[in-house]
């Protein structure tokens, strides 16, 4: 039975749209919901509501905004089972992934509440004996465009810190996950009594996403943009935001490496690679997309990795919790993964395990013999296909890992932490983990990449810095004199 959706949420109430679009379960094509297909006029009205609510919300005592964050966290905890089911049904996720994601989100809002008690400025020295202050204040309306792969987590991270800072929010979730990435939060905000207009959710189909996306950037009341998604779309958003001199934070794709040194714990490394490459079918911006293995341990490590991958069960995760590898999100994504796999095989790569594609289900696949001329070496895959590549020196491993336009995350496996830190310091990524997977996150950390993986940082005080303005304010105490002729 399809979920009942009341429309989109703006100005503190649910609005009906003239049209709807269908939201399907990618595992079985069952209808999940009929969703409001908002228009540009709907978006303008929602932005106007957010703009109208900004003054009163930003002027609330910070303790009251923090209290709302705690109420939101508690309400999400009450609804964890609902959210977990929605994440599975809309995004094709494994049950464990849904439970992790839905359980993680309350911590985002609690971290946002805590940050409200942190300093928001500095007292600066003044040669004229002024009281010189650098203070941060909310900007206004912040629009959030969120993705489908971790729809609830990445949506929450995209707006929680901006909202607690005093900004008001207009959210457009992915058309693939309109409920778990957007309308679920509207239900939560309504339940906790958030003031009208502070939080708004617009849903739309792929047909009018370009026009609506433009409005979310260029509207005169929009002061900042938070985007998580693909690099091509991120480039367009950052470019358009720059044209209009608006702040934006874009977290984009990755081609992340896991480097396994010759002194690494191989059992731990195999498990780390297995999780990093195949968790959520590899549809994570931080997924391990290259496993780089020192040549002296290659023949020992690879069978361990293959054995683990072969045990991952493929199937509809909404009907069987033991199915770990669910579907890719849509047919376009399947076609991309298939093209990379076929290109690699045609150019000489060997399939060590997996390789089969049935509908949207792709077996966990490990390749060897991958070379730089292959698409899977060059491009983000965003699917459960990963190459293992030999290296002979740490410098060569770093060179291979950096040989990409992306620079999001990375992992280094070694028993020597000094060596691990030295390698991590040479990697051109915004994030690096020694003796852990490239797939890591915590609510309060600076999350983001370098190169084509994004601009800016989400999370904790870094989100606050992005989505506030810095002002210089002074109090004159009689020390600054002007020339007498004035």
């Amino acid at each position: 039975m399809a979920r009942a959706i009341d429309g989109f949420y703006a100005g503190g109430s649910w609005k009906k749209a003239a049209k709807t679009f269908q939201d399907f379960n990618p595992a079985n094509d069952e209808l999940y919901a009929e969703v409001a297909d908002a228009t540009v006029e709907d978006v303008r009205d929602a932005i106007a509501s957010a703009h109208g609510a900004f003054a009163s919300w930003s002027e609330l005592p910070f303790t009251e905004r923090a209290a709302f964050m705690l109420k939101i966290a508690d309400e999400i905890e009450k609804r964890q089972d609902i959210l977990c089911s929605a994440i599975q049904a809309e995004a094709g996720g494994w049950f464990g992934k849904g439970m992790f994601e839905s359980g993680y989100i309350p911590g985002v809002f609690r971290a946002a509440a805590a940050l409200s008690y942190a300093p928001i400025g500095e007292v600066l020295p003044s040669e004229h004996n002024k009281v010189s202050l650098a203070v941060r204040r909310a900007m206004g309306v912040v629009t959030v465009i969120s993705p489908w792969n971790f729809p609830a987590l990445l949506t929450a991270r995209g707006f929680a810190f901006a909202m607690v800072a005093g900004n008001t929010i207009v959210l457009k979730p992915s058309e693939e996950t309109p409920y778990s990435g957007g309308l679920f939060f509207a239900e939560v905000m309504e339940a906790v009594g958030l003031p009208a207009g502070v939080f708004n959710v617009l849903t739309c189909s792929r047909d009018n996403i370009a026009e609506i996306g433009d409005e979310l950037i260029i509207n005169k009341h929009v002061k900042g943009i938070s985007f998580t998604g693909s690099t091509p779309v991120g480039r367009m958003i950052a470019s358009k935001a720059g044209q209009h001199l608006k702040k934006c934070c874009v977290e984009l794709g990755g081609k992340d490496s896991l480097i396994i040194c010759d002194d690494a714990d191989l059992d731990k490394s195999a498990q780390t690679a297995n999780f990093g490459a195949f968790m959520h079918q590899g549809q994570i911006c931080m997924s391990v997309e290259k496993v780089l293995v020192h040549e002296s341990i290659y023949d020992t490590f690879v069978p361990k990795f293959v054995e683990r991958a072969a045990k991952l069960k493929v199937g509809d995760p909404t009907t069987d919790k033991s199915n770990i590898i669910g579907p890719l999100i849509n047919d376009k994504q399947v076609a991309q993964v298939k093209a990379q796999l076929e290109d690699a095989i045609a150019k000489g790569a060997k399939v060590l395990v997996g390789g089969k594609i049935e509908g949207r289900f792709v077996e966990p696949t490990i390749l060897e013999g991958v070379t730089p001329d292959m698409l899977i070496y060059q491009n983000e895959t965003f699917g459960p296909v990963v190459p293992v590549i030999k290296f002979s020196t740490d410098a060569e491993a770093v060179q291979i890992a950096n040989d990409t336009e992306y620079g999001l995350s990375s992992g280094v496996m070694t028993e020597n932490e000094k060596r691990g830190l030295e390698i991590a310091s040479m990697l051109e990524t915004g994030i690096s983990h020694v003796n852990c997977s490239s797939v890591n996150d915590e609510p309060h950390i600076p999350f983001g990449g370098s190169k084509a993986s994004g601009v800016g940082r989400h999370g904790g005080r870094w989100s606050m810095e992005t989505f506030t303005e810095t002002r210089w304010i002074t109090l004159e105490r009689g020390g600054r004199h002007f020339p007498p002729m004035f």
Side-chain angles (χ1 to χ4, degrees), residues 215-430:
E215 189 66 28
L216 291 169
I217 299 168
I218 67 176
N219 187 286
K220 66 180 182 180
H221 294 310
V222 172
K223 305 302 180 184
I225 303 100
S226 170
F227 173 77
T228 305
S230 72
T231 293
V233 176
R235 289 185 196 275
M236 291 188 289
I237 288 173
S239 175
K240 194 171 291 289
Q243 291 171 27
H244 292 267
L245 301 178
K246 297 187 179 185
K247 294 177 77 174
C248 72
C249 185
V250 292
E251 191 266 292
L252 310 175
K255 193 70 181 175
D256 307 324
S257 291
L258 178 67
I259 298 172
I260 302 174
C261 299
D262 53 1
D263 63 346
D265 180 325
L266 296 192
D267 289 325
K268 180 180 179 182
S269 297
Q271 184 179 26
T272 301
N274 206 40
F275 171 82
F278 302 129
M279 167 66 174
H280 197 41
Q281 299 80 259
Q283 296 177 127
I284 309 173
C285 54
M286 298 175 282
S287 288
V288 173
E289 297 219 352
K290 293 178 183 175
V291 179
L292 310 184
V293 186
H294 192 277
E295 60 186 7
S296 67
I297 59 167
Y298 183 90
D299 291 338
T300 306
F301 168 80
V302 169
K304 292 177 181 288
F305 184 23
V306 168
E307 181 182 10
R308 284 184 174 273
K311 292 178 180 178
L312 296 173
K313 190 177 175 185
V314 180
D316 184 346
T318 59
T319 59
D320 185 346
K321 290 182 180 179
S322 69
N323 288 331
I324 307 301
I325 305 298
L328 298 191
I329 190 66
N330 54 37
D331 295 337
K332 179 181 178 182
Q333 194 62 32
V334 175
Q336 174 176 299
V337 172
K338 184 178 180 182
Q340 289 192 17
L341 180 58
E342 290 178 345
D343 172 78
I345 293 171
K347 292 176 180 175
K350 179 183 176 183
V351 176
L352 299 180
V353 67
K356 188 190 329 184
I357 300 175
E358 291 186 356
R360 297 190 189 106
F361 294 90
V362 180
E363 287 183 334
T365 302
I366 299 172
L367 300 175
E368 72 174 358
V370 167
T371 53
D373 62 320
M374 298 177 186
L375 294 176
I376 201 163
Y377 181 97
Q378 302 162 6
N379 301 336
E380 184 179 36
T381 303
F382 229 61
V385 182
V386 65
V388 285
I389 301 173
K390 292 180 183 179
F391 69 87
S392 58
T393 65
D394 291 355
E396 183 184 9
V398 169
Q399 184 275 321
I400 296 170
N402 288 342
D403 187 19
T404 172
E405 68 170 335
Y406 298 103
L408 183 56
S409 189
S410 55
V412 183
M413 305 299 292
T414 173
E415 291 294 281
N416 183 334
E417 287 189 343
K418 179 177 182 293
R419 180 184 186 184
L421 284 171
E422 288 174 348
I423 293 172
S425 70
M426 294 185 286
L427 294 172
E428 297 169 348
T429 57

Side-chain angles (χ1 to χ4, degrees), residues 58 62 72-73 82 91 114 118-119 131 157 201 211 213 239 253 264 274 305 343 422 447 457 485:
S58 61
F62 73 92
I72 291 166
I82 295 171
V131 176
R157 188 177 71 192
V201 182
E211 190 177 18
S239 175
N274 206 40
F305 184 23
D343 172 78
E422 288 174 348
F447 191 98
R457 295 293 182 268
M485 65 282 298

Side-chain angles (χ1 to χ4, degrees), residues 118-196:
I120 59 167
E122 301 174 61
V123 179
L124 306 175
S126 170
E127 65 175 313
H128 304 292
N129 297 313
K130 293 175 180 284
V131 176
S132 182
L133 306 172
V135 299
R136 306 193 75 87
R137 70 172 185 184
M139 300 164 61
V141 179
V142 172
T143 54
V144 180
I145 304 171
S146 64
W148 51 261
N149 58 328
F150 272 75
L153 191 161
L154 296 177
T155 291
R157 188 177 71 192
F159 79 83
F161 297 98
M163 192 166 81
V164 80
N167 299 294
T168 53
I169 306 298
V170 178
L171 164 66
K172 191 211 77 66
S174 168
E175 64 278 8
E176 302 284 4
T177 51
Y179 180 77
S180 55
L183 298 171
F184 169 83
F185 290 100
E187 293 174 352
V188 169
M189 303 306 163
E190 185 178 45
V192 302
L194 194 73

